[in-house]
Amino acid sequence: DIQMTQSPSSLSAFVGDRVTITCRASQAIRNALGWYQQKPGQVPKRLIYAASTLQPGVPSRFSGSGSGTEFTLTISSLQPEDFATYYCLQYSGFPFTFGPGTKVDIK
Amino acid sequence: EVQLVESGGGLVQPGGSLRLSCAASGAALSDLNIDWVRQAPGKGLEWVGRSGNKVNSYTIQYAASVKGTFTISRDDSKNLVFLQLNSLKTEDTAVYFCADLGAVPTDSWGRGNLVTVSS
């Protein structure tokens, strides 16, 4: 099975900061990776699929990059509504696997 | 736009069984791959399994943690996908979501259904 790791597990940042979250796969997954945002009590929301394609309606301050085993999610200027937990998901092969999550909170 | 609604959750004793349903609308179920994802209280997301669509020969896939105890099935005529949970343990307590994870450009998720395993 493909294992996914994320770093950091949590971070504190100011509004306006640039934030980068990294996701690593235990084997190459091409670009079969999605990024999800989840706020407490809410359904996960996909931000990016195919590693770098922004889902319609998602603000352009979110971007994704990477291929193979290392991927990043970048928020160019953190907004108050971006404080949440972020997960990556690999869908290159079954079983699909989520990363353990990165919690972003207010500094 | 695909809409998904889960039902069937609730409280069950350890060792018991429960069947969750996922009702799909907005598209023919035969065209949809439906995934089940769960989230234990305060924990991360865990992919549980997938009911593949007609193009994928209705292939079913499971996470290792549930293989042999959970069963996924579907009834395309009723636009329903089912997740049968057997031999439940306290660690199966979670919110269970059905989702169309592979859809592009927009995915779909149900609101989730809580399953509580407790005596």
Side-chain angles (χ1 to χ4, degrees), chain A residues 14 24 32 35 39 47 52 63 71-72 75 77 81:
Chain A
F14 291 107
R24 289 184 175 86
W35 287 100
K39 298 178 183 178
L47 304 172
S52 60
S63 63
F71 303 85
T72 58
I75 309 172
S77 177
E81 60 267 31

Side-chain angles (χ1 to χ4, degrees), chain B residues 64-85:
Chain B
S65 59
V66 305
K67 203 167 189 178
T69 56
F70 291 6
T71 302
I72 294 172
S73 60
R74 66 162 66 198
D75 185 338
D76 282 358
S77 67
K78 296 181 179 178
N79 270 20
L80 290 171
V81 178
F82 304 102
L83 178 65
Q84 177 72 38
L85 295 75

